[in-house]
Amino acid sequence: MTEDGQRFSIAIIGGGIAGACLAGGLARHPGIKIDIYEATEAFAEIGAGISVWKRTLDLLKKLGMEEHFMKISTFPKKDAANLAFHFRKSDQEHGQTFHTWELEGGMTTFHRAQFLDALVKALPAGCAHFEKKCVSYNQDQSQGLVSIQFEDGTTAVADAVIACDGIGSVIRGQMYREEAKKHSDDSFLEYVHPIWSGRLAYRVVFPSAKLKEVSPSHRNLTTPHMYCGKNAHILAYPVIQGTAIGLVAYNSDFTKEGTSLVKADLPIPSREDLKSHYAGWEQDVQDILEKCAGSPPRWAVLSLKPLPFYVRDRVALFGDAAHATTPHQGSGAGLGVEDAFMLSRLLGDPSVNKQNLPIALLAYERARLPRTHHVMKGSRQCGFIFEFNGAPGDNLELVGREIEVLTEWITTTDPEEDVASALSWMKEQQSLAKVWTGTKFYDQQEVGGNILGFDPITMGLGWWLWLL
Ligand SMILES: Cc1cc2nc3c(=O)[nH]c(=O)nc-3n(C[C@H](O)[C@H](O)[C@H](O)COP(=O)(O)OP(=O)(O)OC[C@H]3O[C@@H](n4cnc5c(N)ncnc54)[C@H](O)[C@@H]3O)c2cc1C
């Protein structure tokens, strides 16, 4: 510990939801110097909606952010407190509700910009550095430090680096390229770039008043709905205390899953292109698309192949940089919050110091890797079944049952229990491993080598098996 009480320093690369939440969580623990390096000129999110489950809200409360979030949350209505979505078969003239998905606490929705703002309010003053685009890092084993290089030619050092730089993470790219080189194994390169799901998404938030004018009793004015059809689905839900509606409209070509996205082969994004995917769908869908959605921006839905590791020594992948998932369980940002809850509790433990930091990072990886893989896999399957391309086909009763099974983890697993078990593992390793001898620095082999007990190459194959 330094004279001013500093235990160690953490550099967070990227100030999105995951990076900001981690910084806010770490700030609650004394002695941790925190710096966020963000590539853009300010904290910023896109103009779309976002939903979270009760488990995420509970963690935000535990991270001391309740006050900021309560003001901007749109909770389920009191008479439907556990509602997530009503599912409708909508690719027909008269749609039908075929499943009501409920879970404890239901779904709470936000405007994305407000969500990020609430996280930023919890940051310590002066920790954010803007227009700092990280281009590479170096681990100095002899000093136990990581240096970071930025595009503007400047550098920074920290005792550990947490990569929150999103799905296109530069740090993940470097980490996996180095691994490929070290093992002369090109299979690690498959984790460098995200892959395309074969799906495109139009996203927008529009005023509820617009919808009310067109259709005064439209079901989306009060409740979230998922409109499902063959090869396409739409979700729409009230946000900003019901004054606006968040809309995401997906269309898919699963034969393209895993291929490179060739923009030139796609139709130009337009209102006409958007509407063309829902021709013949029920009136409620037409009302939204025709009269309210305008000409929203379009995104390609990308994800990562589940990575075999998230940590190398003093560098950890985090949030979407580690486990970007398809969005069909509304959980990507929630997983980032869970990462932040886990890592801030581990690093905040008084037993963690500059020397044994790598063990805390391994404890984070050990806890989060299987959890996040499970969600990535389930989310991908939800994408299929919402569009009647999964095992249940268009057997609506089975689709409903499958939704319940795939999303069960949301209420049956407990982040607090995961933290307790990660803390206990970390302390056990701290007492076993000779992490700092005074002459020799920490070596991962000394705390158990392949701690996860599986081999990265098999994991890669496993992922492809899910595809079949
Ligand atoms: C269509 C869609 C709908 C979704 N809906 C939901 C939902 O309802 N609920 C939910 O929980 N999740 C949802 N998600 C997922 C969620 O949006 C992401 O998981 C989440 O935003 C990821 O946050 P992040 O901070 O990890 O990454 P990002 O949001 O990508 O943030 C990364 C940050 O790092 C910065 N950065 C990038 N590179 C560098 C660099 N080299 N140096 C410095 N800074 C850098 C970026 O500027 C950015 O600020 C959805 C995703 C999609 C695509």
Side-chain angles (χ1 to χ4, degrees):
M1 191 184 294
T2 59
E3 275 174 16
D4 61 357
Q6 187 187 306
R7 291 196 288 142
F8 49 81
S9 60
I10 299 291
I12 297 172
I13 309 299
I17 289 172
C21 191
L22 175 63
L26 290 176
R28 293 164 60 76
H29 301 280
I32 306 178
K33 180 173 186 296
I34 307 155
D35 289 286
I36 304 181
Y37 298 99
E38 164 57 43
T40 59
E41 60 190 16
F43 292 113
E45 257 292 355
I46 58 163
I50 192 163
S51 62
V52 301
W53 309 115
K54 180 177 176 295
R55 64 188 276 135
T56 309
L57 277 188
D58 288 347
L59 297 187
L60 291 168
K61 284 180 198 164
K62 288 180 182 177
L63 289 168
M65 300 173 190
E66 179 169 12
E67 189 198 335
H68 306 314
F69 277 94
M70 287 307 115
K71 288 184 198 146
I72 56 162
S73 304
T74 304
F75 294 109
K77 286 193 315 166
K78 283 209 173 66
D79 58 353
N82 292 332
L83 179 66
F85 280 104
H86 292 299
F87 282 80
R88 287 179 67 77
K89 181 165 178 1
S90 299
D91 56 348
Q92 53 201 28
E93 192 183 346
H94 300 289
Q96 68 177 108
T97 298
F98 67 88
H99 186 67
T100 293
W101 176 25
E102 292 185 305
L103 72 180
E104 194 202 336
M107 183 175 78
T108 303
T109 63
F110 299 88
H111 190 288
R112 275 177 177 264
Q114 291 187 337
F115 192 93
L116 184 60
D117 270 358
L119 293 173
V120 168
K121 284 194 177 114
L123 297 183
C127 75
H129 312 276
F130 296 105
E131 299 189 79
K132 289 287 171 195
K133 183 173 182 189
C134 169
V135 288
S136 60
Y137 66 89
N138 288 103
Q139 300 218 43
D140 182 340
Q141 302 285 355
S142 66
Q143 299 286 321
L145 282 175
V146 190
S147 67
I148 310 146
Q149 292 79 45
F150 299 104
E151 197 177 51
D152 63 4
T154 58
T155 58
V157 287
D159 295 319
V161 166
I162 314 298
C164 304
D165 51 343
I167 190 169
S169 173
V170 164
I171 295 184
R172 186 186 67 248
Q174 179 175 337
M175 191 183 271
Y176 274 82
R177 281 192 192 96
E178 285 175 358
E179 201 70 11
K181 198 168 164 199
K182 185 170 154 195
H183 298 285
S184 304
D185 181 352
D186 281 355
S187 68
F188 288 105
L189 299 178
E190 290 171 9
Y191 305 103
V192 168
H193 298 293
I195 52 162
W196 184 34
S197 60
R199 186 173 284 126
L200 299 169
Y202 282 92
R203 279 199 281 185
V204 69
V205 173
F206 60 84
S208 304
K210 234 177 175 179
L211 184 57
K212 206 167 188 174
E213 213 177 286
V214 180
S215 172
S217 56
H218 195 285
R219 40 178 54 88
N220 269 133
L221 289 169
T222 51
T223 40
H225 278 79
M226 187 92 76
Y227 302 98
C228 302
K230 190 73 181 166
N231 299 330
H233 73 284
I234 293 179
L235 47 127
Y237 47 77
V239 288
I240 324 181
Q241 287 77 45
T243 59
I245 306 288
L247 171 86
V248 193
Y250 296 99
N251 65 82
S252 315
D253 176 354
F254 292 115
T255 62
K256 303 263 170 62
E257 189 188 37
T259 62
S260 305
L261 177 73
V262 183
K263 278 195 187 156
D265 292 349
L266 299 175
I268 294 166
S270 66
R271 195 150 169 255
E272 282 58 46
D273 173 56
L274 167 63
K275 286 194 310 183
S276 69
H277 299 285
Y278 310 95
W281 285 40
E282 63 173 313
Q283 191 57 40
D284 268 11
V285 170
Q286 304 306 335
D287 285 343
I288 293 177
L289 297 182
E290 278 282 339
K291 315 268 172 42
C292 303
S295 205
R298 188 181 68 185
W299 278 265
V301 178
L302 306 175
S303 67
L304 292 177
K305 289 175 70 173
L307 306 184
F309 58 85
Y310 294 167
V311 171
R312 278 295 173 259
D313 301 307
R314 290 172 180 272
V315 179
L317 304 175
F318 201 87
D320 269 17
H323 45 67
T325 167
T326 54
H328 309 300
Q329 292 194 352
S331 293
L335 292 181
V337 172
E338 291 182 25
D339 288 352
F341 181 67
M342 169 68 69
L343 192 58
S344 58
R345 288 281 293 276
L346 289 167
L347 296 182
D349 191 85
S351 67
V352 177
N353 57 37
K354 178 178 158 65
Q355 282 72 33
N356 66 16
L357 253 174
I359 297 182
L361 298 186
L362 285 179
Y364 150 80
E365 173 188 68
R366 187 171 180 274
R368 295 300 295 149
L369 195 138
R371 282 271 180 263
T372 48
H373 280 198
H374 180 77
V375 180
M376 292 166 91
K377 182 181 170 191
S379 183
R380 176 175 173 274
Q381 287 174 341
C382 279
F384 285 120
I385 62 168
F386 292 170
E387 299 184 356
F388 309 135
N389 287 314
D394 62 359
N395 181 325
L396 301 180
E397 195 190 327
L398 290 184
V399 169
R401 265 195 249 162
E402 194 71 7
I403 290 166
E404 299 293 333
V405 171
L406 290 172
T407 55
E408 205 177 33
W409 68 272
I410 297 171
T411 47
T412 56
T413 63
D414 179 1
E416 192 71 71
E417 273 175 26
D418 288 350
V419 166
S421 121
L423 276 167
S424 142
W425 184 86
M426 179 178 80
K427 289 185 178 182
E428 204 181 299
Q429 298 304 318
Q430 284 171 351
S431 66
L432 290 177
K434 289 185 176 123
V435 174
W436 172 244
T437 62
T439 53
K440 186 176 176 299
F441 272 88
Y442 165 85
D443 177 344
Q444 279 195 28
Q445 299 305 322
E446 287 179 318
V447 285
N450 184 356
I451 52 140
L452 298 165
F454 49 65
D455 127 36
I457 296 159
T458 319
M459 282 307 298
L461 288 175
W463 190 86
W464 286 108
L465 286 178
W466 296 345
L467 279 181
L468 298 176

